[in-house]
Amino acid sequence: MVYIEDVQARQILDSRGNPTLEVDVKLSNGSVGRAAVPSGASTGKYEAYELRDKQSDFYNGYSVSKAVENVNIEIFNTFSGRNPLEQKSIDYDLIELDNTKNKNRLGANAMLGFSMAVARASANSKGLSLWHYLGGIRANTLPVPMMNIINGGAHANNGLDFQECMIMPIGFSTFSDALRAGVEIFQNLKNILSEKSLSTAVGDEGGFAPNISNLEEALSYISKAIEISGYILGEEIFISIDAAASELYKDGYYHLSGENKKLDTDELLKYWDGICKKFPIVSIEDPFDENDWVGFKELTKFLGNKLQIVGDDLFVTNKNRLLKGIREKSGNSILIKLNQIGTLSETLETIELAKNNNFGVIISHRSGETEDVFISDLSVAINAGQIKTGSLSRSDRTAKYNQLLRIEESLGDNAQYFGKDFFNSNI
């Protein structure tokens, strides 16, 4: 029997230049799996705990040496000699070892790095790609990318209240064609912004961060870039928004400082309705605060038959919170982030619950990313149909797209692209 022989964690840098965790798991047959853990900027309060040292004189408090130590000593001592193919058993023993509600003893980052590395080592041991190991013969669907081409909110230093303005190239038959369309639109948007003397510097996730403060203005620039690129808005290319509304919520109101508006839940619902009437929007993520279940429910009731109402901070990849959303009909789609929950097995269980209840599933990156392409493989393994991994710049983002191109090539004639089935399966 192959077994876990060695575990080695180290501190590396993420895409924002902050420390994060990388873990190697070596098996007795010589196979090695490596995984790096991402980190969020606008994090939900219900996410699993990211362990950092908080020593102000060392990496400004962001170092993860304690999490590294937890992997190299306690996790190694506990799981050395275990069969790596028993992923679920390992993950749940890992949860028991931590023995806290939000993984704050070992750190969700330490636990996830080990969990992911075990999966990759197992795949390598079997001589399989990670997507094939996790998904088997049914894994053949390339996801529709949500391409973040204008950044705002916590991801950019501009006046735009909302965090991400994205395009979704739905009207194509292959992932590679969809990706090409996105690249062309991104490059033409750069020219449009430059002609307007607006900054073409990029934010955390690779999208442009022009100094604009109005959502309609941002979407108008995107619409023009789509037109100039020769694509049809509302047929081939659609628009998606991540509002990250928890960042805007204070004292019972949503403060849209850039637009000089102060809205309650009902007023914000009407705001979203107005935006959707002006632009072909098919997805809004976190349109309300992470505790505003009523807002999510009302918007789902009002617009849920026309577009995705996505819970990120609302659900935080947590099965129990998702179950509440399903029962209350608050949202119809879930954003999946591995580090929100802390193990691969818990992530897969949440995905299964979502699919069994006809919720859309979007595999997502974080704003603090690495070159690790685990989420690309995961999106194909579970036939998610959608992936959110940033813009068409910064290698930490494009690495995920490049991996999907490789998977598409590997699948050959068996490769499917979700495309317009996005509508039928999720809405």
Side-chain angles (χ1 to χ4, degrees):
M1 180 196 79
V2 66
Y3 59 88
I4 295 173
E5 184 176 88
D6 195 15
V7 180
Q8 179 67 53
R10 65 186 63 86
Q11 184 166 262
I12 62 169
L13 298 181
D14 69 14
S15 59
R16 288 196 296 257
N18 289 326
T20 190
L21 199 76
E22 182 177 76
V23 180
D24 292 349
V25 169
K26 182 180 178 182
L27 306 184
S28 56
N29 64 0
S31 299
V32 177
R34 172 173 292 170
V37 181
S39 177
S42 58
T43 55
K45 67 173 66 174
Y46 301 106
E47 293 190 23
Y49 186 79
E50 179 185 67
L51 183 63
R52 293 190 181 272
D53 300 338
K54 298 181 181 179
Q55 296 175 348
S56 60
D57 60 340
F58 199 70
Y59 278 113
N60 298 316
Y62 285 99
S63 60
V64 291
S65 61
K66 178 59 179 175
V68 167
E69 180 183 305
N70 288 343
V71 174
N72 288 340
I73 298 176
E74 190 168 358
I75 290 177
F76 167 68
N77 289 338
T78 302
F79 293 96
S80 177
R82 289 284 293 272
N83 182 350
L85 302 179
E86 297 175 349
Q87 182 81 42
K88 187 172 183 178
S89 175
I90 286 173
D91 284 344
Y92 274 87
D93 285 348
L94 190 59
I95 294 166
E96 187 175 338
L97 178 66
D98 173 77
N99 197 31
T100 66
K101 289 184 177 180
N102 66 344
K103 302 179 174 68
N104 62 19
R105 193 181 73 80
L106 293 174
N109 44 349
M111 295 169 68
L112 179 62
F114 176 68
S115 178
M116 292 165 62
V118 167
R120 192 168 265 138
S122 298
N124 292 338
S125 178
K126 291 289 187 180
L128 297 172
S129 299
L130 180 61
W131 61 269
H132 194 180
Y133 172 72
L134 293 177
I137 61 174
R138 291 177 294 178
N140 69 341
T141 304
L142 278 297
V144 173
M146 289 182 165
M147 299 165 162
N148 177 7
I149 58 176
I150 290 187
N151 287 188
H155 290 173
N157 186 22
N158 61 9
L160 188 62
D161 297 298
F162 302 114
Q163 197 156 274
E164 301 177 40
C165 298
M166 297 170 280
I167 53 172
M168 295 181 67
I170 291 168
F172 299 86
S173 58
T174 67
F175 174 81
S176 50
D177 284 344
L179 182 64
R180 176 174 60 85
V183 169
E184 292 168 357
I185 293 164
F186 178 74
Q187 299 297 348
N188 282 317
L189 176 60
K190 182 177 182 179
N191 294 334
I192 290 169
L193 295 175
S194 182
E195 289 170 3
K196 296 286 185 180
S197 298
L198 291 167
S199 173
T200 54
V202 298
D204 279 353
E205 297 183 353
F208 299 117
N211 190 22
I212 56 179
S213 56
N214 185 283
L215 179 60
E216 287 191 33
E217 182 182 3
L219 298 184
S220 294
Y221 289 137
I222 291 173
S223 300
K224 185 176 181 181
I226 293 168
E227 179 184 352
I228 289 174
S229 302
Y231 298 108
I232 303 172
L233 180 62
E235 289 188 23
E236 295 172 306
I237 310 292
F238 292 79
I239 290 173
S240 174
I241 295 169
D242 175 7
S246 294
E247 301 287 325
L248 309 173
Y249 190 71
K250 185 179 179 181
D251 299 328
Y253 290 93
Y254 295 91
H255 298 263
L256 278 58
S257 301
E259 300 187 26
N260 195 28
K261 294 176 180 177
K262 179 182 174 182
L263 308 176
D264 62 20
T265 294
D266 288 339
E267 290 168 333
L268 184 55
L269 189 152
K270 292 175 183 176
Y271 176 94
W272 290 128
D273 182 44
I275 290 291
C276 290
K277 286 176 178 176
K278 294 179 180 179
F279 298 94
I281 294 170
V282 293
S283 182
I284 305 177
E285 177 187 333
D286 282 351
F288 298 98
D289 179 68
E290 59 201 348
N291 292 308
D292 195 347
W293 294 90
V294 173
F296 272 88
K297 181 176 182 177
E298 290 303 309
L299 188 62
T300 304
K301 181 180 178 181
F302 193 55
L303 292 176
N305 64 332
K306 298 178 182 178
L307 68 151
Q308 285 191 140
I309 312 299
V310 185
D312 173 19
D313 292 343
L314 184 73
F315 297 136
V316 292
T317 315
N318 185 296
K319 189 168 60 174
N320 294 327
R321 290 186 67 84
L322 174 59
L323 190 58
K324 180 178 179 180
I326 292 167
R327 289 170 176 165
E328 297 189 7
K329 298 183 179 179
S330 294
N332 59 19
S333 300
I334 182 172
L335 203 73
I336 297 292
K337 294 174 176 175
L338 286 149
N339 78 323
Q340 284 182 329
I341 194 66
T343 66
L344 174 59
S345 295
E346 289 171 287
T347 302
L348 293 174
E349 288 178 6
T350 301
I351 290 169
E352 183 179 14
L353 177 63
K355 287 194 163 194
N356 288 343
N357 287 275
N358 298 315
F359 262 53
V361 173
I362 306 155
I363 305 300
S364 179
H365 63 165
R366 298 308 300 252
S367 54
E369 263 297 337
T370 73
E371 60 271 29
D372 196 322
V373 296
F374 195 100
I375 62 169
S376 297
D377 285 70
L378 179 61
S379 72
V380 176
I382 56 102
N383 294 319
Q386 299 173 80
I387 191 169
K388 181 181 173 186
T389 186
S391 193
L392 289 310
S393 70
R394 300 184 60 139
S395 58
D396 46 287
R397 314 295 153 178
T398 58
K400 278 71 167 174
Y401 294 125
N402 291 339
Q403 176 68 355
L404 288 168
L405 288 173
R406 296 183 195 104
I407 295 173
E408 182 181 52
E409 180 183 72
S410 177
L411 282 166
D413 293 340
N414 291 324
Q416 303 291 321
Y417 177 61
F418 227 69
K420 291 182 178 179
D421 287 339
F422 154 82
F423 291 102
N424 298 327
S425 63
N426 297 333
I427 297 175

